[in-house]
Amino acid sequence: MATEKKQTVWAATYDLLRSLGLTTIFGNPGSTEQPFLKNFPDDFDYILALQEASAVAMADGFAQATGKPVLVNLHTNAGTGNGMGNIMTAFQNKTPLIITAGQQTREMIICDPLLTNRDETALPKPYVKWAYEPKRAQDVPRAIMRAYALALQPPAGPVYVSIPLDDWDKTALGTADVRTVSSRVGPDPERVKEFAKRISTAKNPALIYGAEVEKAGGWDAGIALAEKLRAPVFRAPAAERACFPETHALFQGELVSAMGPLSQRLEGHDLIVVIGAPVFRYYPYVPGPVIPEGSSLLQVTDDPTDAGSALVGDSLLSDAKLALEALLELVEDDSARIAPASRQILRTLPEVPNSPLTANEVYAALSEVRPEGAIVVQETPSNYNDFLHWWPSKAPGEYYTYASGGLGHNAPSSVGVALAQRKLGTNRPVITVIGDGSLQYSVQSLASAAQHKLKIIYIVPCNGEYAILKEFAELEKTPNVPALDLPFLDINSLAKGYGCSTANASTKEEIQAAFKIALTTEGPTVITIPIKRELKSLVPPAFKH
């Protein structure tokens, strides 16, 4: 009788990954990962990034756009270190990434050879939900299954498994057990009734929606609740996703991420209801009360840390969509309440265009050729508000940025978002709006966009400076900070070297013409646009100190 051939850890792991749908892997292969990547299966896709930080961000964008967990493969401690900035951002984006990293051979770890991942579970902390190195090779599939379950459960986030390179050829325990877990937590019935009663009896409530509303699929429920209450809706400060149609009459704009001005903006509201966001995401420090005197606050979040770190208010742990639907059913219709006045946005342009154009003029020009269904990935810190004025989000899935404030995430993230559109078959173009300084943090991601011929249009406003840092220097009263002017950057030559189409545009007509050509060009296009140097106040002009 023939003896049944035992399955290897390698084979058991790939079978598990298939069962979990983790067949797209992002990484930059290293020596400690090659035993995992050998004989790479035909039914898997390996997305090459030329640096590990880009690999993590690409996976982040792909996971957010598909709504599913993604596998990232990093090179031991060196690759983990390279990826840490974007692992931090993925953690704050609450993106479910299963990060695996190679480790040295078990038999050699005792003598600390090159590329040993020392204290392997400490390096990625505190920006992973769980970090682990299996004690036995046979436990690798179980460790990945556990990582998957933890990454998905709220709050979602990255997890990390270090795997010695000699584990893959060991004999597995057998076929890995596949488990399912819930990715949502529902609201406590009694507490949601209490919240609904407080909202119904408020004289002038304000709704603040955060990224969790869109991620949970709560867009329509959020609109319905606002319309039933006839209450104004604000976007949470520094929100990484849109959460409400920004052309809606009830939308009042994004709140500034500073204590004093934020509180002042909410004056007159006796109840502030924050759904799907921290209370609050601040930067910079501008002193003032958290909320106006005489008002109170309710928070709905699926993240116990966000609930615990709130400086004021009462919290309800819940998936944003489930909470919105429960509140919608329970709150009283207040048709007698006078709806707030629509937000007035001054979209003024000079009679004679500036030379070079201002960021405001650039985004005004682009708004006239905005294609239906286009997705924007944004990393332009110094002219962010100009962009939002001219390119409001109208539907779910139209806007992405980072939750962390760490530069270097969104150029590669847009590659992941565009790959997701191809996988989903949407054919939606991705517009990456990124500063000339920001692009340098992960410029190598252009190569991945070109390799896969992705429909990405990079809009690069070029002011030749770190303008946001000059604005902070004024706020913080720190004159003569060095290195805030950028050296000469030939971004078009860089982009051509990575395989992208390029254009330089200086006028409204040139910008619109280049953009229209980019929409019909196969693969990515980088459009550089010289803009006027401007320093804008980080504190709203009307703020009362």
Side-chain angles (χ1 to χ4, degrees):
M1 183 175 178
T3 304
E4 182 182 353
K5 186 178 180 180
K6 295 287 187 179
Q7 192 178 39
T8 63
V9 169
W10 181 94
T13 299
Y14 272 99
D15 283 348
L16 173 64
L17 296 177
R18 286 186 185 92
S19 298
L20 297 175
L22 299 174
T23 57
T24 301
I25 300 174
F26 292 80
N28 181 276
S31 55
T32 55
E33 291 68 54
Q34 286 180 281
F36 166 60
L37 298 172
K38 68 181 180 181
N39 300 319
F40 195 68
D42 292 339
D43 56 331
F44 280 69
D45 292 316
Y46 187 89
I47 307 300
L48 170 65
L50 299 185
Q51 207 261 10
E52 288 90 350
S54 288
V56 173
M58 287 179 195
D60 189 339
F62 188 80
Q64 288 198 62
T66 59
K68 296 181 179 179
V70 174
L71 184 69
V72 187
N73 185 231
L74 300 182
H75 179 43
T76 186
N77 52 1
T80 303
N82 285 340
M84 270 310 301
N86 285 332
I87 292 173
M88 179 268 291
T89 295
F91 182 82
Q92 297 196 45
N93 283 347
K94 299 178 182 176
T95 303
L97 299 183
I98 293 88
I99 301 170
T100 61
Q103 170 64 299
Q104 264 293 1
T105 308
R106 286 184 185 269
E107 282 78 359
M108 287 205 304
I109 290 175
I110 188 65
C111 66
D112 201 15
L114 284 176
L115 295 173
T116 298
N117 198 352
R118 288 187 188 177
D119 202 359
E120 64 285 335
T121 62
L123 181 58
K125 292 178 181 177
Y127 293 113
V128 292
K129 293 180 66 177
W130 182 60
Y132 185 69
E133 184 173 286
K135 304 305 178 189
R136 307 181 300 169
Q138 295 91 332
D139 290 329
V140 168
R142 286 177 171 172
I144 291 174
M145 183 65 246
R146 180 174 174 181
Y148 178 90
L150 287 169
L152 261 182
Q153 292 180 83
V159 292
Y160 184 87
V161 182
S162 170
I163 305 170
L165 63 87
D166 55 327
D167 282 4
W168 299 106
D169 288 331
K170 299 286 181 14
T171 301
L173 295 173
T175 302
D177 292 319
V178 178
R179 300 182 293 114
T180 61
V181 295
S182 173
S183 60
R184 291 188 160 177
V185 55
D188 170 60
E190 293 305 314
R191 193 155 178 84
V192 81
K193 286 179 186 176
E194 176 193 335
F195 274 38
K197 182 177 180 180
R198 290 177 63 180
I199 293 169
S200 296
T201 56
K203 293 181 179 178
N204 188 20
L207 298 172
I208 300 174
Y209 289 165
E212 291 173 29
V213 171
E214 181 177 300
K215 293 176 185 178
W219 186 280
D220 291 339
I223 296 171
L225 180 65
E227 291 177 346
K228 186 173 184 179
L229 294 171
R230 296 169 68 83
V233 176
F234 298 86
R235 184 158 140 185
E240 66 273 21
R241 298 279 285 275
C243 44
F244 192 81
E246 294 172 1
T247 52
H248 194 288
L250 291 173
F251 185 66
Q252 301 296 306
E254 181 175 316
L255 292 169
V256 65
S257 54
M259 282 187 182
L262 188 157
S263 178
Q264 181 178 294
R265 183 75 177 84
L266 295 173
E267 284 181 359
H269 296 289
D270 58 333
L271 180 66
I272 296 154
V273 184
V274 180
I275 300 178
V279 180
F280 290 103
R281 189 174 281 155
Y282 293 128
Y283 199 75
Y285 176 61
V286 181
V290 178
I291 56 176
E293 185 178 352
S295 63
S296 59
L297 184 142
L298 300 176
Q299 180 196 30
V300 177
T301 177
D302 68 359
D303 189 341
T305 299
D306 285 349
S309 62
L311 294 173
V312 299
D314 303 317
S315 295
L316 166 67
L317 282 177
S318 175
D319 172 270
K321 180 183 179 183
L322 297 180
L324 283 164
E325 290 174 341
L327 290 170
L328 179 61
E329 185 177 335
L330 293 169
V331 298
E332 296 177 9
D333 192 329
D334 200 340
S335 55
R337 179 180 290 128
I338 299 173
S342 296
R343 179 177 59 137
Q344 297 300 310
I345 302 174
L346 297 176
R347 295 192 174 103
T348 56
L349 296 169
E351 290 185 13
V352 179
N354 285 283
S355 182
L357 298 175
T358 63
N360 191 55
E361 290 171 291
V362 169
Y363 298 135
L366 287 167
S367 71
E368 295 179 10
V369 289
R370 174 181 181 173
E372 195 66 31
I375 297 169
V376 164
V377 182
Q378 181 276 134
E379 189 174 300
T380 55
S382 62
N383 47 65
Y384 163 67
N385 287 318
D386 290 328
F387 173 76
L388 290 186
H389 286 330
W390 290 101
W391 200 291
S393 295
K394 303 173 185 177
E398 286 191 347
Y399 177 81
Y400 296 84
T401 190
Y402 43 30
S404 67
L407 299 181
H409 178 269
N410 287 345
S413 175
S414 64
V415 173
V417 172
L419 282 165
Q421 302 318 304
R422 177 172 292 173
K423 184 178 181 68
L424 297 169
T426 69
N427 202 35
R428 296 172 70 181
V430 175
I431 317 301
T432 305
V433 184
I434 187 163
D436 52 350
S438 293
L439 180 60
Q440 306 314 309
Y441 284 73
S442 48
V443 68
Q444 72 285 128
S445 61
L446 295 176
S448 299
Q451 178 191 3
H452 294 279
K453 295 182 171 59
L454 298 175
K455 180 56 65 182
I456 305 177
I457 303 174
Y458 296 86
I459 302 296
V460 188
C462 300
N463 54 14
E465 63 179 352
Y466 290 126
I468 189 69
L469 296 181
K470 290 185 177 181
E471 291 165 7
F472 271 108
E474 288 198 355
L475 177 71
E476 297 166 344
K477 297 180 174 58
T478 53
N480 303 317
V481 174
L484 299 188
D485 290 305
L486 293 174
F488 177 73
L489 298 172
D490 188 349
I491 291 173
N492 286 44
S493 292
L494 286 169
K496 286 178 182 176
Y498 283 120
C500 299
S501 300
T502 66
N504 183 267
S506 299
T507 67
K508 173 182 176 179
E509 294 74 21
E510 290 174 353
I511 292 168
Q512 292 181 339
F515 189 83
K516 289 175 182 177
I517 292 171
L519 284 171
T520 62
T521 300
E522 183 183 36
T525 299
V526 175
I527 304 174
T528 54
I529 306 171
I531 62 169
K532 183 179 180 180
R533 287 190 171 192
E534 299 176 282
L535 293 187
K536 299 160 188 172
S537 175
L538 293 174
V539 178
F543 175 58
K544 302 190 293 283
H545 291 272

